[in-house]
Amino acid sequence: MYFTQLAAASLAIGLTTAAPAPTAQWGGNWGNWGNWGHHGKPPGKPPGGGAPTPKINVQLGPRPYYLVDNMDEGPLKKKLESCKEEPKSTSSFSISHRGAPLMFPEHSKQGYDAAARMGAGIIECDVSFTSDRELVCRHSNCDLHYTTDILAHPDLAAKCTEPFTPANPENGTAASAKCCTSDITLAEFKSLCAEMEATTLNALSINQSTPYFGRIGITPDWRTNMYAYSCAEPMSLKDQIQLVEGYGLNFTAEAKTPEIPMPFQGDYTQEDFAQQIVDTFKNYSIAANRVWLQSFLPDDIFYWIANDPAFGEQAVYLDERADLSTDGYQTAVDSLPDLAARGVKIIAPSIWQLITADNATGQIVPSSYAVAAQKAGLEIITWSFERSGPLEVEGGGYYYESVANLINNDGDEYTVIDVIAQKVGATKIFADWVGTVTYYANCFGLV
């Protein structure tokens, strides 16, 4: 997803990341695909194929229980408390955002394994491309300098678009570099180690980077480097498809907004990139109704709708327009009927755009955006829970800015999730730590 705001603090689940993914079980119960469980549609094999019911021993770890205990007293807390000892299962309401980046390096095999173990029904790959035009899972075209150890490889660091420049404590200048997936080949990309996303870029030299060699910045203190000291494995889209298929789960893939001039190398266009993503899923015989393509670029969405309608049917328009201009929110609201008329079926704004504070009642309620999307008949997905820091700090930051005056403890996360699910009517939620959303989904039967 587009933003790089911070994720909430957490305790880690126990997960042996070296173990192979379980083989998909093709039993008689075809659930956990799309949002049938959420809307009460009949069971059975999805038309055109679909993922089998995953046979994963879902383990959520302590965080959801901590959040429930932290909630204000009331009916919602009682409901969630009543589900504490019930077994939990995979839910398509729960989408893994970049794997499990609250604790694991984003878009790493280890992070994907953790997300599957925590019950994500859909696993995300943000798709970028390498210099040899291979597709890889990376949040940005140009984030390798703060999400991998590329700067610890002098031969690869020399290929970066912008070389490393150290921080200058005397004038407060941060360290900088710009290393893009398009600077290196697929083989070179796969030689890297994924690392926790850096924030404060403070390195005085690569040898002095903290907390370990090759690091340009530091991890927020409410995340952890525990699962990044050993080399976390970066993934190509092909790798990710095979891993997720092995778990019997479904897919979402975002065509990243390019940070480099397009056409790339003179003839590789954005349309070529969008089509290559589709073709990769087709090459693995993944049914279109198991894939939610995404983009912040409306032209990508319209391209899929026009050129590959089966995949375009579930294309997700990631709507950031409210963040781009002072009148962007209202522009987005007013445009929703037209988007629906042009074939867009799923809209995905950030959390804050879907909710607002009713100060007369002290309640969190659906926003005008949410109401307009409902009236336009659009399915709603949102992003990204567990990406902010502790909710006690500044009301949770960016993702909660429209209701910050009603947020005062981490347990309020479940209050927001409940409004998003029950009043806004979102069918799926992206999360950096999907165990939190999986717990809610199981408690309310959103499987």
Side-chain angles (χ1 to χ4, degrees), residues 7-9 222 388-397 410:
W222 37 265
S388 294
L391 270 60
E392 287 90 346
V393 180
E394 298 179 352
D410 281 348

Side-chain angles (χ1 to χ4, degrees), residues 174-196:
S176 66
K178 186 176 183 180
C179 302
C180 306
T181 59
S182 54
D183 292 335
I184 58 177
T185 67
L186 175 63
E188 290 168 335
F189 173 83
K190 293 184 73 171
S191 74
L192 302 175
C193 296
E195 294 183 348
M196 292 298 289

Side-chain angles (χ1 to χ4, degrees), residues 370-384:
V371 172
Q374 292 168 351
K375 288 182 178 178
L378 292 165
E379 182 180 345
I380 301 170
I381 298 174
T382 194
W383 42 274
S384 298

Side-chain angles (χ1 to χ4, degrees), residues 5-6 352 387-404 407:
Q5 283 77 15
L6 306 177
W352 77 262
R387 187 133 192 91
S388 294
L391 270 60
E392 287 90 346
V393 180
E394 298 179 352
Y398 166 79
Y399 290 99
Y400 302 88
E401 63 184 43
S402 59
V403 294
I407 298 292

Side-chain angles (χ1 to χ4, degrees), residues 38 60 64-65 68 71 75-91 93-94 414 417-418 421-422 435-447:
H38 188 45
L60 304 185
Y65 306 89
V68 172
M71 292 176 67
L76 178 60
K77 181 174 182 175
K78 289 182 179 179
K79 169 64 176 175
L80 292 171
E81 284 178 329
S82 73
C83 303
K84 281 187 172 182
E85 305 311 322
E86 295 176 358
K88 306 300 187 292
S89 61
T90 298
S91 171
F93 185 73
S94 182
Y414 273 128
I417 290 175
D418 189 61
Q422 306 299 334
T436 299
V437 175
T438 301
Y439 184 101
Y440 180 93
N442 274 258
C443 196
F444 282 86
L446 308 181
V447 298

